[in-house]
Each structure stands twice: as C-alpha cells, then as structure tokens.
Amino acid sequence: MTKVYFIRHAEPDYNDLDAVNRALTEKGRGDTYHVANFLKDKEISAVLSSPYQRSYDTVANFAKQMGMEVETVYDLRERKICDTYVDDFPGFAEAQWADFDYKLETGESLREVQDRNTNALKDILKRYEGKNIAIGTHGTALSTIVNYYDKSFGYEDFMKIRRVLPWIVVMTFENSECKGIDQYRLNWEKM
C-alpha cells in the first residue's frame, strides 16, 4: 500500500496577487508546525510540493525537522484562473465545476488541472510504491484529484473546503487503485 498525505497549504497572504510567490501569513507559518506534528509519526519517506511558495513553505518545516529535502513537481501547481483578478470567484468556480472544460481566455479548465495533477500523481505513485509520502498542494488542484477518484466530490464540497487552511487529504493506494480517502481539518478531526 502507498499512502499519500496531501497537505493543502496553510493560510496565505491574499493581499499578494503573485500566485507563484505568495507567502504564508504569520498564522499560516505557525500552522506549519501543526502540519509537522501531524506528519511526524506517519513514516513519511519523501516530501514533494507544488512549486508555489505557499505550498512549499507548508511542508518545508516538516521536511527540515526530518532531515529531508522537498522535491518540487511543476505539474502539481495550482490552476491558472486568468491574467487578471476575478471579482466573482464563487460564480467562476461554480461555472467550472458545472463544466470541467470551462475556462477564461488565459486560464485553465478543471479538466486540464485534473489531467496535469493526476498524471503527476500517477508518476509519483510508481516512484514511491509502497511508501508514505507527503505532498504540499492547493485547494483546487487537490479537489480535482479527489474528484478524479471520487466523482461525488463536486462544487459544494469544494466550497466547504475553500477556507480550510490547511486541509489534509489522505489517500491510500494499492498499485494505482485508490482504496480510501480521508479528509482532516487543522484540529485533525476527520471531515
């Protein structure tokens, strides 16, 4: 069995519109210690992350405590919405969840995000078969992965986790088949 601990990043500074380099808030930085505490007894063999700063920083504290490096995987990055700010994010998100091919002119559809992230995950599962791994990720990217393995996960579920920072999803795989999905909030209660 392979166990993947997906950690959706801690609280970012939403005033920073730079999606790639957006840092964590003070609260977010403090929450990285809670993430490390949650992961410390999980026998993690590797720590991977989206290349985006907030995801990397969320798992870096744990990796450092364990004497490990964080491997960045470019295809685990978050969805690109467009080149400008979207005023009605809930409306935009609902349109995307209703039609996985819907996207703004310079953005990505959920299908593109899902394909990119699940293909990266399949490669990771081959490389780390039989191991426990931690992956720093994002809300939309992770939601599309969950949806890939559990089609019942949709817009309403996405909106429930929208402000859950960090959000941990534990997926258990036998070969490439997903055998279980568990979700946790910061207080580590199952959702």
Side-chain angles (χ1 to χ4, degrees):
M1 294 289 231
T2 305
K3 213 171 236 192
V4 182
Y5 293 83
F6 289 100
I7 298 93
R8 188 247 181 122
H9 61 78
E11 183 180 82
D13 178 1
Y14 289 111
N15 294 318
D16 183 352
L17 300 181
D18 181 349
V20 175
N21 298 306
R22 184 176 301 141
L24 298 176
T25 63
E26 184 177 334
K27 179 188 181 317
R29 289 189 301 276
D31 286 344
T32 68
Y33 291 93
H34 297 297
V35 169
N37 193 47
F38 177 81
L39 293 172
K40 72 179 178 187
D41 63 349
K42 305 301 189 280
E43 299 180 15
I44 302 295
S45 298
V47 181
L48 299 90
S49 177
S50 153
Y52 289 12
Q53 196 66 49
R54 59 195 181 275
S55 292
Y56 183 93
D57 289 347
T58 299
V59 295
N61 184 32
F62 168 72
K64 182 179 178 183
Q65 288 180 21
M66 302 304 288
M68 303 168 86
E69 296 292 323
V70 178
E71 175 189 345
T72 57
V73 179
Y74 185 66
D75 282 345
L76 291 176
R77 69 193 181 278
E78 181 61 299
R79 162 201 55 197
K80 180 180 180 188
I81 295 174
C82 65
D83 290 335
T84 60
Y85 184 77
V86 173
D87 289 323
D88 180 16
F89 180 79
F92 167 74
E94 186 171 18
Q96 283 209 302
W97 281 94
D99 176 1
F100 257 47
D101 294 312
Y102 173 77
K103 62 182 176 179
L104 299 177
E105 186 176 334
T106 58
E108 289 181 289
S109 70
L110 290 186
R111 187 172 322 282
E112 290 169 322
V113 175
Q114 185 179 64
D115 288 348
R116 177 168 42 76
N117 275 269
T118 55
N119 287 335
L121 175 60
K122 289 172 186 176
D123 178 60
I124 290 165
L125 290 172
K126 286 178 192 170
R127 289 190 303 145
Y128 294 102
E129 185 176 354
K131 308 281 186 189
N132 294 345
I133 59 173
I135 299 178
T137 187
H138 304 272
T140 301
L142 180 52
S143 292
T144 65
I145 293 170
V146 173
N147 170 269
Y148 181 83
Y149 293 102
D150 177 4
K151 293 296 182 204
S152 72
F153 187 98
Y155 173 72
E156 292 80 17
D157 301 293
F158 173 74
M159 291 308 287
K160 285 178 190 171
I161 64 90
R162 184 170 170 220
R163 300 282 184 220
V164 178
L165 301 158
W167 172 45
I168 295 183
V169 174
V170 182
M171 299 179 79
T172 306
F173 292 89
E174 188 172 313
N175 299 312
S176 60
E177 185 180 344
C178 183
K179 296 293 191 177
I181 302 173
D182 293 308
Q183 301 178 51
Y184 299 88
R185 296 179 177 277
L186 181 62
N187 59 7
W188 314 132
E189 290 180 5
K190 265 191 172 181
M191 293 176 62

